Amino acid sequence: DTATTEIYTLSLPDALRSLAIVLAVIAFSGTLISDVSDGAFSPFQEPEVLPLEIEFHNLSVLEISERQATLEIEFIVSNPNFKSVMLQRLKYTVFHDDTRIVAGEVGSSPTGFVDTSNYYLILNERPVTLGEKFIVKNTGDAELWEKLEISLVEGKNALNWRITAEAYSNLSSLTSGQENIASFEFTK
């Protein structure tokens, strides 16, 4: 009894077909695995992307002079989706007694081919505090300026404020899914 060893060789066309199959599986696996659920296989169902959850955290007066006041606004952003979400920008408007004080934006979206974006990656179960400082010019509204001064001295907000906000987000890349817009309103 002699042992024989058989050697199998793979021809070049067979190797190329095998490589093409492996690359196709890798390329299309993103459509088979859900970006927002726990990774379940659902090739025929469009995944539902849950909107980001935005909570108002703080509006405070940092300093004030006769000409201008510096305020800071903060929001807490949470992601209820399974995968991370890119928050491109958070637009907000601050009102006092239904008069607009300021409109601002945290983050930015790319507007051109070479433009860069300033976005925030919001992970699942990891809330992020976002905010910015802004300046309010003194326009002669004595009541508003008095409320701002009281807010600075007493350390608590004396403004009768309302804040509207819109969060612009995508799944984990700018090319993954459509842009999602969620609107919020906060009042004192």
Side-chain angles (χ1 to χ4, degrees):
D1 288 304
T2 46
T4 59
T5 305
E6 292 185 35
I7 300 176
Y8 293 100
T9 59
L10 192 60
S11 68
L12 184 59
D14 291 338
L16 290 176
R17 274 193 292 268
S18 298
L19 180 61
I21 291 171
V22 169
L23 290 176
V25 168
I26 291 171
F28 294 112
S29 66
T31 61
L32 300 177
I33 299 173
S34 173
D35 233 2
V36 291
S37 68
D38 58 3
F41 178 78
S42 58
F44 302 111
Q45 184 178 1
E46 185 69 29
E48 179 184 350
V49 179
L50 300 172
L52 291 174
E53 297 169 355
I54 310 289
E55 296 175 39
F56 171 74
H57 183 63
N58 190 26
L59 176 65
S60 57
V61 179
L62 302 177
E63 61 183 352
I64 192 167
S65 69
E66 290 181 18
R67 294 184 179 184
Q68 66 184 26
T70 304
L71 282 75
E72 182 175 37
I73 190 166
E74 293 178 320
F75 300 94
I76 297 175
V77 183
S78 302
N79 176 12
N81 295 293
F82 176 71
K83 296 250 181 148
S84 60
V85 173
M86 288 176 34
L87 175 62
Q88 297 167 357
R89 61 190 170 159
L90 177 64
K91 292 173 53 175
Y92 64 89
T93 306
V94 179
F95 299 90
H96 168 67
D97 288 334
D98 290 327
T99 302
R100 188 179 88 172
I101 298 175
V102 69
E105 183 174 304
V106 178
S108 65
S109 295
T111 56
F113 181 68
V114 293
D115 196 12
T116 59
S117 63
N118 180 17
Y119 62 85
Y120 300 92
L121 192 60
I122 311 298
L123 303 175
N124 179 337
E125 299 180 10
R126 301 265 177 147
V128 174
T129 303
L130 297 177
E132 71 174 359
K133 296 176 184 174
F134 60 89
I135 293 177
V136 176
K137 303 273 186 199
N138 188 347
T139 60
D141 184 345
E143 179 195 351
L144 171 63
W145 221 248
E146 180 182 343
K147 298 271 184 169
L148 290 172
E149 289 174 342
I150 291 170
S151 297
L152 180 64
V153 172
E154 294 183 5
K156 60 182 179 178
N157 198 322
L159 295 172
N160 184 23
W161 55 260
R162 178 174 60 90
I163 298 169
T164 60
E166 288 183 334
Y168 297 80
S169 62
N170 282 57
L171 289 178
S172 53
S173 76
L174 290 175
T175 59
S176 177
Q178 79 277 3
E179 180 176 56
N180 299 297
I181 302 171
S183 299
F184 302 90
E185 185 168 323
F186 310 100
T187 56
K188 177 178 177 184

